[in-house]
Coordinates of all heavy atoms in Angstrom, one line a residue:
M26 N 11.6 -3.5 16.5 CA 11.8 -4.4 15.4 C 11.7 -3.6 14.1 O 10.9 -2.7 14.0 CB 10.6 -5.4 15.3 CG 10.7 -6.3 14.2 SD 9.3 -7.5 14.4 CE 9.9 -8.7 13.4
R27 N 12.7 -3.8 13.3 CA 12.8 -3.0 12.0 C 12.4 -3.9 10.8 O 12.7 -5.1 10.8 CB 14.3 -2.5 11.8 CG 14.7 -1.6 12.9 CD 16.0 -1.0 12.5 NE 15.7 -0.2 11.4 CZ 16.4 0.9 11.2 NH1 17.3 1.3 12.0 NH2 16.1 1.6 10.2
Y28 N 11.7 -3.3 9.9 CA 11.3 -4.0 8.7 C 12.0 -3.4 7.6 O 12.3 -2.2 7.5 CB 9.7 -3.7 8.5 CG 8.9 -4.3 9.5 CD1 8.3 -3.5 10.5 CD2 8.5 -5.6 9.5 CE1 7.5 -4.1 11.5 CE2 7.7 -6.3 10.4 CZ 7.2 -5.5 11.4 OH 6.3 -6.0 12.3
N29 N 12.2 -4.3 6.6 CA 12.9 -3.7 5.4 C 11.8 -3.3 4.5 O 10.6 -3.6 4.7 CB 13.9 -4.7 4.7 CG 13.2 -6.0 4.2 OD1 12.1 -6.0 3.8 ND2 14.0 -7.1 4.2
E30 N 12.1 -2.7 3.4 CA 11.2 -2.2 2.4 C 10.3 -3.1 1.8 O 9.1 -2.9 1.6 CB 11.9 -1.3 1.3 CG 11.1 -0.5 0.5 CD 11.9 0.3 -0.5 OE1 12.5 1.3 0.0 OE2 11.9 0.0 -1.7
N31 N 10.8 -4.4 1.5 CA 9.9 -5.4 1.0 C 8.9 -5.9 2.0 O 7.8 -6.2 1.5 CB 10.9 -6.6 0.5 CG 11.7 -6.2 -0.7 OD1 11.4 -5.3 -1.5 ND2 12.8 -7.0 -0.8
D32 N 9.2 -6.0 3.2 CA 8.2 -6.4 4.2 C 7.1 -5.3 4.3 O 5.9 -5.8 4.4 CB 8.9 -6.5 5.6 CG 9.8 -7.7 5.7 OD1 9.7 -8.6 4.9 OD2 10.7 -7.6 6.6
L33 N 7.5 -4.1 4.3 CA 6.5 -3.0 4.4 C 5.6 -3.0 3.1 O 4.3 -2.8 3.2 CB 7.1 -1.6 4.5 CG 7.8 -1.5 5.9 CD1 8.5 -0.1 5.9 CD2 6.8 -1.5 7.0
E34 N 6.2 -3.3 2.0 CA 5.3 -3.4 0.8 C 4.3 -4.5 0.9 O 3.2 -4.4 0.5 CB 6.2 -3.6 -0.5 CG 6.9 -2.4 -1.0 CD 7.7 -2.7 -2.2 OE1 7.1 -3.0 -3.3 OE2 9.0 -2.7 -2.1
E35 N 4.8 -5.7 1.3 CA 4.0 -6.8 1.4 C 2.8 -6.6 2.4 O 1.7 -7.0 2.2 CB 4.8 -8.1 1.8 CG 4.0 -9.3 1.7 CD 3.5 -9.7 0.4 OE1 4.1 -9.4 -0.6 OE2 2.4 -10.3 0.3
I36 N 3.1 -6.1 3.6 CA 2.1 -5.7 4.6 C 1.1 -4.7 3.9 O -0.1 -4.9 4.2 CB 2.7 -5.1 5.8 CG1 3.6 -6.2 6.5 CG2 1.7 -4.6 6.8 CD1 4.5 -5.7 7.6
T37 N 1.5 -3.8 3.3 CA 0.7 -2.8 2.6 C -0.3 -3.5 1.6 O -1.5 -3.1 1.6 CB 1.5 -1.6 2.0 OG1 2.3 -1.0 3.0 CG2 0.6 -0.6 1.3
R38 N 0.3 -4.3 0.8 CA -0.5 -5.0 -0.1 C -1.6 -5.9 0.5 O -2.8 -6.0 0.1 CB 0.3 -5.8 -1.1 CG 1.2 -5.0 -2.0 CD 2.1 -5.9 -2.9 NE 3.2 -5.2 -3.5 CZ 3.0 -4.3 -4.5 NH1 1.9 -4.0 -5.0 NH2 4.1 -3.6 -4.9
M39 N -1.2 -6.6 1.6 CA -2.1 -7.4 2.4 C -3.3 -6.5 3.0 O -4.4 -6.9 3.0 CB -1.4 -8.1 3.4 CG -0.6 -9.2 2.9 SD 0.5 -10.1 4.1 CE -0.3 -10.0 5.6
F40 N -2.9 -5.4 3.4 CA -3.9 -4.5 4.0 C -4.9 -4.0 3.1 O -6.0 -3.9 3.3 CB -3.1 -3.2 4.6 CG -3.9 -2.4 5.6 CD1 -4.2 -2.8 6.9 CD2 -4.5 -1.3 5.1 CE1 -4.9 -2.0 7.7 CE2 -5.3 -0.5 6.0 CZ -5.6 -0.9 7.3
I41 N -4.4 -3.7 1.8 CA -5.3 -3.3 0.7 C -6.2 -4.4 0.3 O -7.4 -4.2 0.1 CB -4.5 -2.8 -0.5 CG1 -3.8 -1.5 -0.1 CG2 -5.4 -2.6 -1.7 CD1 -2.8 -1.0 -1.2
K42 N -5.7 -5.6 0.3 CA -6.6 -6.8 0.0 C -7.7 -7.0 1.1 O -8.8 -7.3 0.8 CB -5.7 -8.1 -0.2 CG -4.9 -8.1 -1.5 CD -4.2 -9.4 -1.5 CE -3.2 -9.4 -2.7 NZ -2.4 -10.6 -2.7
L43 N -7.3 -6.8 2.3 CA -8.2 -6.9 3.4 C -9.3 -5.8 3.2 O -10.5 -6.1 3.4 CB -7.5 -6.7 4.8 CG -8.4 -6.7 6.0 CD1 -9.1 -8.0 6.1 CD2 -7.6 -6.4 7.2
A44 N -8.9 -4.6 3.0 CA -9.9 -3.5 2.7 C -10.9 -3.9 1.5 O -12.1 -3.6 1.7 CB -9.2 -2.2 2.5
D45 N -10.3 -4.5 0.6 CA -11.1 -4.9 -0.6 C -12.1 -5.9 -0.1 O -13.3 -5.8 -0.5 CB -10.3 -5.4 -1.7 CG -9.5 -4.4 -2.5 OD1 -9.7 -3.2 -2.4 OD2 -8.4 -4.9 -3.0
K46 N -11.7 -6.9 0.7 CA -12.6 -7.9 1.1 C -13.7 -7.3 2.0 O -14.9 -7.7 1.9 CB -11.9 -9.0 1.8 CG -12.7 -10.2 2.2 CD -11.9 -11.2 2.9 CE -12.8 -12.4 3.3 NZ -12.2 -13.5 3.9
L47 N -13.3 -6.4 2.9 CA -14.3 -5.8 3.8 C -15.3 -5.0 3.1 O -16.5 -5.0 3.4 CB -13.6 -4.9 4.8 CG -12.7 -5.6 5.9 CD1 -12.0 -4.6 6.8 CD2 -13.7 -6.5 6.8
L48 N -14.9 -4.3 2.0 CA -15.9 -3.6 1.2 C -16.8 -4.5 0.5 O -18.0 -4.3 0.4 CB -15.0 -2.7 0.2 CG -15.9 -1.9 -0.7 CD1 -16.7 -0.8 0.1 CD2 -15.1 -1.2 -1.8
A49 N -16.3 -5.6 -0.1 CA -17.1 -6.6 -0.8 C -18.1 -7.2 0.2 O -19.3 -7.5 -0.2 CB -16.3 -7.7 -1.4
D50 N -17.7 -7.4 1.5 CA -18.6 -8.1 2.4 C -19.6 -7.0 3.1 O -20.3 -7.3 4.0 CB -17.8 -8.7 3.6 CG -17.1 -9.9 3.1 OD1 -17.4 -10.5 2.0 OD2 -16.2 -10.4 3.8
K51 N -19.4 -5.7 2.7 CA -20.2 -4.6 3.1 C -20.0 -4.3 4.6 O -20.9 -4.0 5.4 CB -21.6 -4.7 2.8 CG -21.8 -4.9 1.3 CD -23.3 -4.7 0.9 CE -23.4 -4.9 -0.6 NZ -24.3 -4.1 -1.3
R52 N -18.8 -4.6 5.2 CA -18.6 -4.3 6.5 C -18.0 -2.9 6.7 O -18.0 -2.3 7.8 CB -17.5 -5.3 7.1 CG -18.0 -6.7 7.1 CD -17.1 -7.5 7.9 NE -17.6 -8.8 8.1 CZ -17.1 -9.8 8.8 NH1 -16.0 -9.5 9.4 NH2 -17.6 -10.9 8.9
I53 N -17.6 -2.2 5.6 CA -17.2 -0.9 5.6 C -17.9 -0.1 4.3 O -18.2 -0.9 3.4 CB -15.7 -0.6 5.5 CG1 -15.1 -1.3 4.3 CG2 -14.9 -1.1 6.8 CD1 -13.5 -1.0 4.2
D54 N -18.1 1.1 4.5 CA -18.7 1.8 3.4 C -17.6 2.3 2.4 O -16.4 2.2 2.7 CB -19.6 3.0 3.8 CG -18.9 4.0 4.6 OD1 -17.7 3.8 4.8 OD2 -19.5 5.1 4.9
K55 N -18.0 2.8 1.3 CA -17.1 3.2 0.2 C -16.2 4.4 0.6 O -15.0 4.4 0.4 CB -17.8 3.5 -1.1 CG -16.9 3.8 -2.2 CD -17.7 3.8 -3.5 CE -16.7 3.8 -4.7 NZ -17.3 3.6 -6.0
N56 N -16.7 5.3 1.4 CA -15.9 6.5 1.8 C -14.8 6.0 2.8 O -13.6 6.5 2.7 CB -16.8 7.5 2.6 CG -17.6 8.2 1.5 OD1 -17.3 8.3 0.4 ND2 -18.8 8.7 2.0
T57 N -15.1 5.0 3.7 CA -14.1 4.5 4.6 C -13.1 3.7 3.8 O -11.8 3.9 4.1 CB -14.8 3.6 5.6 OG1 -15.8 4.3 6.3 CG2 -13.8 3.1 6.7
Y58 N -13.4 3.0 2.8 CA -12.5 2.3 2.0 C -11.5 3.2 1.3 O -10.3 3.0 1.3 CB -13.3 1.5 0.9 CG -12.4 0.8 -0.1 CD1 -11.6 -0.3 0.2 CD2 -12.2 1.4 -1.4 CE1 -10.8 -0.9 -0.8 CE2 -11.4 0.8 -2.4 CZ -10.7 -0.3 -2.0 OH -9.9 -0.9 -3.0
I59 N -12.1 4.3 0.7 CA -11.2 5.3 0.1 C -10.2 5.9 1.0 O -9.1 6.0 0.7 CB -12.1 6.3 -0.6 CG1 -12.9 5.7 -1.8 CG2 -11.2 7.6 -1.1 CD1 -13.9 6.7 -2.5
E60 N -10.7 6.2 2.2 CA -9.8 6.9 3.2 C -8.8 5.9 3.6 O -7.6 6.2 3.8 CB -10.7 7.3 4.4 CG -10.0 8.2 5.4 CD -9.6 9.5 4.8 OE1 -10.3 10.0 3.9 OE2 -8.5 10.1 5.1
I61 N -9.1 4.6 3.8 CA -8.1 3.6 4.3 C -7.0 3.4 3.2 O -5.8 3.3 3.5 CB -8.8 2.2 4.6 CG1 -9.6 2.4 5.9 CG2 -7.7 1.2 4.7 CD1 -10.5 1.2 6.1
T62 N -7.5 3.3 2.0 CA -6.5 2.8 0.8 C -5.8 4.0 0.2 O -4.8 3.7 -0.4 CB -7.2 2.0 -0.2 OG1 -8.3 2.8 -0.8 CG2 -7.8 0.7 0.3
K63 N -6.2 5.2 0.4 CA -5.6 6.3 -0.2 C -4.1 6.4 0.2 O -3.2 6.5 -0.6 CB -6.3 7.6 0.1 CG -5.8 8.9 -0.6 CD -6.4 10.2 -0.1 CE -7.7 10.1 0.6 NZ -8.2 11.5 0.9
R64 N -3.8 6.4 1.4 CA -2.4 6.5 1.9 C -1.6 5.2 1.6 O -0.4 5.4 1.3 CB -2.4 6.7 3.4 CG -2.9 8.1 3.7 CD -2.7 8.5 5.2 NE -3.2 9.8 5.5 CZ -3.3 10.3 6.6 NH1 -3.2 9.5 7.7 NH2 -3.7 11.6 6.7
K65 N -2.2 4.1 1.6 CA -1.5 2.9 1.4 C -1.1 2.8 0.0 O 0.0 2.4 -0.4 CB -2.4 1.6 1.7 CG -2.8 1.6 3.1 CD -1.8 1.5 4.1 CE -2.2 1.4 5.5 NZ -1.1 1.6 6.5
K66 N -1.9 3.2 -1.0 CA -1.7 3.2 -2.4 C -0.6 4.3 -2.7 O 0.3 4.1 -3.6 CB -2.9 3.3 -3.3 CG -3.8 2.2 -3.2 CD -5.0 2.4 -4.0 CE -5.8 1.1 -4.0 NZ -7.2 1.2 -4.7
G67 N -0.7 5.4 -2.0 CA 0.2 6.4 -2.1 C 1.7 5.9 -1.7 O 2.7 6.3 -2.4
F68 N 1.7 5.2 -0.7 CA 3.0 4.6 -0.2 C 3.6 3.7 -1.3 O 4.8 3.8 -1.5 CB 2.8 3.8 1.1 CG 4.0 3.0 1.5 CD1 5.1 3.7 2.1 CD2 4.0 1.7 1.4 CE1 6.2 2.9 2.4 CE2 5.2 0.9 1.8 CZ 6.2 1.5 2.3
L69 N 2.8 2.9 -1.9 CA 3.2 2.0 -2.9 C 3.8 2.8 -4.1 O 4.8 2.3 -4.7 CB 2.2 1.0 -3.3 CG 1.8 -0.1 -2.2 CD1 0.6 -0.9 -2.7 CD2 2.9 -1.0 -1.9
K70 N 3.1 3.8 -4.5 CA 3.5 4.7 -5.6 C 4.9 5.3 -5.2 O 5.8 5.4 -6.0 CB 2.6 5.7 -5.9 CG 1.3 5.2 -6.6 CD 0.3 6.4 -6.9 CE -0.9 5.8 -7.4 NZ -1.9 6.9 -7.6
F71 N 5.0 5.7 -4.1 CA 6.3 6.4 -3.5 C 7.5 5.3 -3.6 O 8.5 5.6 -4.2 CB 6.2 6.9 -2.1 CG 7.4 7.3 -1.5 CD1 8.0 8.5 -1.9 CD2 8.1 6.5 -0.6 CE1 9.2 8.9 -1.3 CE2 9.3 6.9 -0.1 CZ 9.9 8.1 -0.4
V72 N 7.2 4.1 -3.2 CA 8.2 3.1 -3.2 C 8.7 2.8 -4.7 O 9.8 2.6 -4.9 CB 7.8 1.8 -2.5 CG1 8.7 0.7 -2.6 CG2 7.6 2.1 -1.0
E73 N 7.7 2.7 -5.5 CA 8.0 2.4 -6.9 C 8.7 3.5 -7.6 O 9.7 3.2 -8.3 CB 6.7 2.2 -7.7 CG 6.9 1.7 -9.1 CD 7.6 0.4 -9.3 OE1 7.4 -0.6 -8.4 OE2 8.3 0.2 -10.2
K74 N 8.4 4.7 -7.4 CA 9.2 5.8 -7.9 C 10.6 5.9 -7.3 O 11.5 6.1 -8.1 CB 8.4 7.2 -7.6 CG 7.3 7.4 -8.4 CD 6.6 8.8 -8.0 CE 5.3 9.0 -8.7 NZ 4.7 10.3 -8.4
D75 N 10.7 5.6 -6.1 CA 12.1 5.5 -5.4 C 12.9 4.4 -6.1 O 14.0 4.6 -6.3 CB 11.9 5.3 -3.9 CG 13.3 5.4 -3.2 OD1 13.9 6.5 -3.4 OD2 13.6 4.5 -2.4
R76 N 12.3 3.3 -6.3 CA 13.0 2.1 -6.9 C 13.5 2.5 -8.3 O 14.6 2.2 -8.7 CB 12.0 1.0 -7.0 CG 12.7 -0.3 -7.5 CD 11.8 -1.5 -7.4 NE 11.5 -1.9 -6.0 CZ 10.3 -2.2 -5.6 NH1 9.3 -2.2 -6.3 NH2 10.1 -2.4 -4.3
I77 N 12.6 3.2 -9.1 CA 13.0 3.6 -10.5 C 14.1 4.6 -10.4 O 15.1 4.5 -11.2 CB 11.8 4.2 -11.2 CG1 10.8 3.0 -11.5 CG2 12.1 4.8 -12.5 CD1 9.4 3.6 -12.0
Y78 N 14.0 5.6 -9.5 CA 15.0 6.6 -9.3 C 16.4 6.0 -9.0 O 17.4 6.3 -9.6 CB 14.6 7.6 -8.3 CG 15.7 8.7 -8.1 CD1 15.8 9.8 -9.0 CD2 16.5 8.6 -7.0 CE1 16.8 10.7 -8.8 CE2 17.5 9.6 -6.8 CZ 17.6 10.6 -7.7 OH 18.6 11.6 -7.4
N79 N 16.4 5.1 -8.1 CA 17.6 4.4 -7.6 C 18.3 3.5 -8.7 O 19.4 3.3 -8.7 CB 17.4 3.7 -6.3 CG 17.2 4.5 -5.1 OD1 17.7 5.6 -5.2 ND2 16.5 4.1 -4.2
R80 N 17.4 3.0 -9.6 CA 17.9 2.1 -10.6 C 18.8 2.9 -11.6 O 19.8 2.4 -12.2 CB 16.7 1.5 -11.4 CG 17.2 0.4 -12.4 CD 16.0 -0.1 -13.2 NE 14.9 -0.4 -12.4 CZ 13.7 -0.5 -12.8 NH1 13.4 -0.4 -14.1 NH2 12.6 -0.7 -12.0
Y81 N 18.5 4.2 -11.9 CA 19.2 5.0 -12.9 C 20.3 5.8 -12.3 O 21.2 6.3 -13.0 CB 18.2 5.9 -13.6 CG 17.3 5.1 -14.5 CD1 15.9 5.1 -14.2 CD2 17.8 4.4 -15.5 CE1 15.1 4.4 -15.0 CE2 16.9 3.6 -16.3 CZ 15.6 3.6 -16.1 OH 14.7 2.8 -16.8
F82 N 20.3 6.0 -10.9 CA 21.3 6.9 -10.3 C 22.1 6.1 -9.3 O 21.9 5.3 -8.6 CB 20.7 8.1 -9.7 CG 20.1 9.0 -10.7 CD1 18.7 9.1 -10.9 CD2 20.8 9.8 -11.6 CE1 18.2 9.9 -11.8 CE2 20.3 10.5 -12.6 CZ 18.9 10.7 -12.7

């Protein structure tokens, strides 16, 4: 099954919200939260930069 870019963005945003909720409920510690969300937020930054680049070229 293939996902398009918008689906992956939405899944990533949902995953970050879940990590936020788990941290608030103290089910994970802060170091685990940082480790989980570091790559997810990096992916969102990459997608945004790619979108900006493609808009101008």
